[in-house]
Each structure stands twice: as structure tokens, then as C-alpha cells.
């Protein structure tokens, strides 16, 4: 079966392509953006804490 997406996860450059797409999306929840920013800075404990706030209450 053909991959409907032009870039698959196994292709080189997938992560970079995904990051470029995220930068272009402006309606992402501010908490999600904050988690990404914390991870980018290497502040993983705070990022994990904030991710807990994003989990659904089910």
C-alpha cells in the first residue's frame, strides 16, 4: 500500500520537516507550545509536569 503522505517517518529529514510544520501552525494550544519550548531548552522535569496538565481526565 502506498504511503499517502509525501514524507514518511522513516525517511531522513522527517523530524526537521515536522518541526518546520509546527512552526507554521499558529493555532496550537499555548500549553503544548510551552511544553515544546521547555523540551527544546532541556528542562524535561518541567515539561513532564506541564504535560500532566494536558492529559484528559478520563
Amino acid at each position: 500500500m502506498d504511503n499517502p503522505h509525501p514524507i514518511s517517518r522513516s525517511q531522513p529529514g522527517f523530524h526537521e520537516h515536522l518541526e518546520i510544520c509546527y512552526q507554521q501552525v499558529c493555532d496550537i494550544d499555548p500549553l503544548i507550545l510551552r511544553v515544546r519550548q521547555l523540551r527544546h531548552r532541556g528542562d524535561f522535569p518541567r515539561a513532564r509536569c506541564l504535560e500532566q496538565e494536558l492529559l484528559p481526565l478520563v
Side-chain angles (χ1 to χ4, degrees):
M1 184 170 165
D2 291 334
N3 187 354
H5 302 290
I7 295 190
S8 75
R9 292 182 189 172
S10 62
Q11 290 180 343
F14 172 77
H15 183 75
E16 292 78 14
H17 176 76
L18 190 59
E19 286 298 318
I20 290 168
C21 290
Y22 281 144
Q23 290 171 5
Q24 294 175 359
V25 176
C26 58
D27 63 345
I28 295 178
D29 187 292
L31 286 177
I32 294 171
L33 291 174
R34 180 68 176 145
V35 169
R36 290 185 67 235
Q37 182 182 46
L38 290 169
R39 287 194 173 280
H40 182 71
R41 291 182 181 171
D43 193 348
F44 299 107
R46 283 189 180 177
R48 278 191 295 272
C49 252
L50 195 52
E51 283 173 338
Q52 295 298 313
E53 296 293 326
L54 299 171
L55 294 176
L57 299 173
V58 180

